[in-house]
Amino acid sequence: MPKMQRQKGRSLMGQLSYSALDMAVILCKKNLGIREECQFLLDFWRSERRFLEWKYQSNKRRFLQDTQYWMHYLNDKEQLDYDFADIVKAAENNGTQIEVEDYWRDLDEVDIVFKEMYLDMAFFRKTKYVRKSMRQMLAKYHLKRRTASIVEKMERYVRFYEMEMLVNRKRISDLSSIPLDQLITFRLCSV
């Protein structure tokens, strides 16, 4: 299997929406049982599919199959990567064309952090908030300093996933002026 890479030309909405790979990465971290995974995917598709990539919003079967595919891939990544060239050859021998680009996907850590925060608050946590400092979030992105572009991206995720940010119980909208070690409470606006 080819290395996962950023797709060029991916739309803003596509970056913010959950892909099957995003779901698989997050679910693999949760170590859920198969029944819990399936129930979560069905619940998410029923109640939150507006956050899914466009191709999944009206096709539950495709969403479930693609997510399961990526979960299997992530669990057996080393072996599948090793066998991918043989799989392509076997498909060509059978008259089937595999588009290698179809198997390249975006896996952006900034995207995953906020997507996982949303799922934690909406589905997995009893408390419907997450507390993180800017330093903790930047470390997850492998950054030591905040830049205007990373702050803008974080704020875009907060708006898209309908979250609010609180510092000392006061609502804030600008992350650029918050001290790096200040705890920020993220919660869903509907709470």
Side-chain angles (χ1 to χ4, degrees):
M1 183 74 61
K3 182 180 161 196
M4 290 176 254
Q5 297 180 2
R6 178 175 267 306
Q7 291 178 344
K8 292 182 179 158
R10 192 167 176 211
S11 72
L12 174 62
M13 187 66 162
Q15 288 176 341
L16 298 174
S17 301
Y18 286 89
S19 68
L21 176 58
D22 295 335
M23 280 294 181
V25 168
I26 293 166
L27 286 174
C28 284
K29 289 179 183 179
K30 299 291 180 202
N31 293 321
L32 302 173
I34 189 72
R35 285 189 177 124
E36 292 169 302
E37 287 172 357
C38 289
Q39 189 60 52
F40 164 75
L41 291 170
L42 289 171
D43 290 346
F44 186 86
W45 194 85
R46 270 187 231 115
S47 64
E48 304 293 333
R49 70 174 165 235
R50 70 185 185 274
F51 293 129
L52 289 173
E53 288 181 339
W54 184 252
K55 64 185 173 187
Y56 299 125
Q57 290 184 7
S58 61
N59 193 337
K60 177 171 66 171
R61 184 172 188 255
R62 184 175 182 188
F63 168 63
L64 295 174
Q65 285 181 332
D66 287 358
T67 303
Q68 289 296 317
Y69 163 81
W70 283 113
M71 289 177 71
H72 290 297
Y73 169 73
L74 292 170
N75 287 327
D76 297 324
K77 184 178 182 331
E78 287 181 30
Q79 186 63 42
L80 290 171
D81 285 350
Y82 179 78
D83 293 337
F84 189 70
D86 294 334
I87 293 168
V88 171
K89 279 184 187 175
E92 288 174 356
N93 291 339
N94 290 330
T96 304
Q97 178 82 20
I98 293 182
E99 295 296 327
V100 176
E101 292 79 26
D102 290 346
Y103 295 90
W104 290 356
R105 293 300 309 249
D106 179 18
L107 185 55
D108 184 347
E109 276 297 314
V110 178
D111 297 348
I112 292 295
V113 169
F114 275 90
K115 290 174 180 182
E116 187 172 12
M117 276 175 45
Y118 175 80
L119 292 180
D120 282 345
M121 289 185 284
F123 291 95
F124 295 116
R125 293 175 63 113
K126 290 180 181 159
T127 56
K128 299 299 180 185
Y129 63 87
V130 173
R131 282 196 178 121
K132 293 188 182 281
S133 70
M134 279 298 291
R135 192 175 307 281
Q136 289 172 319
M137 290 189 295
L138 292 171
K140 287 201 176 205
Y141 309 146
H142 311 291
L143 299 170
K144 295 188 187 237
R145 282 185 273 169
R146 69 178 139 206
T147 62
S149 62
I150 198 75
V151 168
E152 180 185 328
K153 192 169 191 174
M154 289 176 177
E155 290 173 351
R156 194 175 337 131
Y157 275 99
V158 167
R159 287 188 305 274
F160 184 79
Y161 292 117
E162 301 166 359
M163 296 180 199
E164 62 182 2
M165 301 178 292
L166 303 161
V167 172
N168 299 328
R169 297 185 180 162
K170 294 180 184 169
R171 193 177 289 171
I172 62 164
S173 59
D174 179 22
L175 289 172
S176 62
S177 61
I178 303 298
L180 288 178
D181 292 317
Q182 175 69 51
L183 279 179
I184 305 164
T185 303
F186 295 89
R187 69 178 185 190
L188 300 178
C189 289
S190 59
V191 174

